[in-house]
């Protein structure tokens, strides 16, 4: 089964996109390589402690000269129970919108390719007509 493509948007700017997010407590955590780092700047907010996840470090999202404070956080040293989100980025839902991007299914993609290119060779009979 194909994993959904999730996109993090801040004022219309795509700041992260991945099919490999992880969910903890209803928050989507994006892999480090899926975020557009040029938008992220360390926040002046002190790290906050979660009793079971560890110390969260906060980031501002900056675009077009606008600063969205404390829009994202990471657990760089996540506790063993949540090791799977170590270094992953999550977003404050009141500042960043995480949306599922509708992608055509594999079957729909195959139909579109078939429409553009014609039937595959194994679907043709000997005389070039559909089998």
């Amino acid at each position: 089964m194909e994993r959904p493509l999730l996109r993090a948007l801040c004022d219309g700017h795509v700041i992260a996109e991945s099919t490999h997010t992880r969910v903890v407590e209803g928050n989507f955590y994006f892999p480090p390589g899926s975020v557009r780092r040029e938008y992220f700047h360390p926040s002046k907010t002190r790290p906050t402690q979660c009793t079971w996840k560890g110390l969260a470090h906060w980031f501002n999202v900056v675009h077009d000269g606008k600063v969205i404070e404390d829009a994202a956080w990471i657990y760089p040293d996540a506790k063993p129970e949540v090791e799977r989100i170590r270094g992953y980025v999550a977003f404050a839902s009141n500042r960043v919108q995480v949306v599922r991007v509708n992608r055509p299914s594999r079957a729909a993609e195959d139909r579109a390719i078939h429409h553009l290119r014609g039937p595959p060779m194994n679907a043709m009979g000997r005389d070039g007509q559909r089998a």
Side-chain angles (χ1 to χ4, degrees):
M1 180 173 194
E2 192 172 292
R3 298 180 71 149
L5 175 64
L6 296 178
R7 186 176 286 159
L9 301 167
C10 186
D11 296 333
H13 295 267
V14 177
I15 60 173
E17 188 173 68
S18 180
T19 58
H20 293 90
T21 60
R22 297 175 178 172
V23 180
V24 174
E25 293 184 322
N27 293 305
F28 291 98
Y29 285 80
F30 285 74
S34 71
V35 299
R36 296 188 54 194
R37 295 188 184 278
E38 67 269 20
Y39 289 107
F40 294 82
H41 299 270
S43 170
K44 291 181 181 177
T45 299
R46 289 183 180 184
T48 55
Q49 181 70 44
C50 172
T51 56
W52 73 280
K53 289 184 295 236
L55 205 57
H57 292 257
W58 294 86
F59 290 85
N60 299 331
V61 171
V62 179
H63 66 81
D64 303 326
K66 182 178 177 182
V67 178
I68 295 81
E69 292 186 11
D70 300 332
W73 71 88
I74 66 167
Y75 290 96
D77 297 308
K79 291 187 175 183
E81 300 85 67
V82 289
E83 176 68 27
R84 64 193 187 96
I85 62 167
R86 178 186 301 266
Y88 276 52
V89 181
F91 300 99
S93 62
N94 62 339
R95 295 174 180 88
V96 174
Q97 182 182 20
V98 175
V99 298
R100 181 179 175 155
V101 178
N102 290 326
R103 297 187 300 177
S105 67
R106 179 73 180 150
E109 289 174 1
D110 289 346
R111 283 193 300 275
I113 290 169
H114 177 81
H115 175 73
L116 294 173
R117 295 186 186 160
M121 290 304 290
N122 63 1
M124 303 293 282
R126 285 183 78 169
D127 59 0
Q129 300 300 313
R130 284 189 168 266

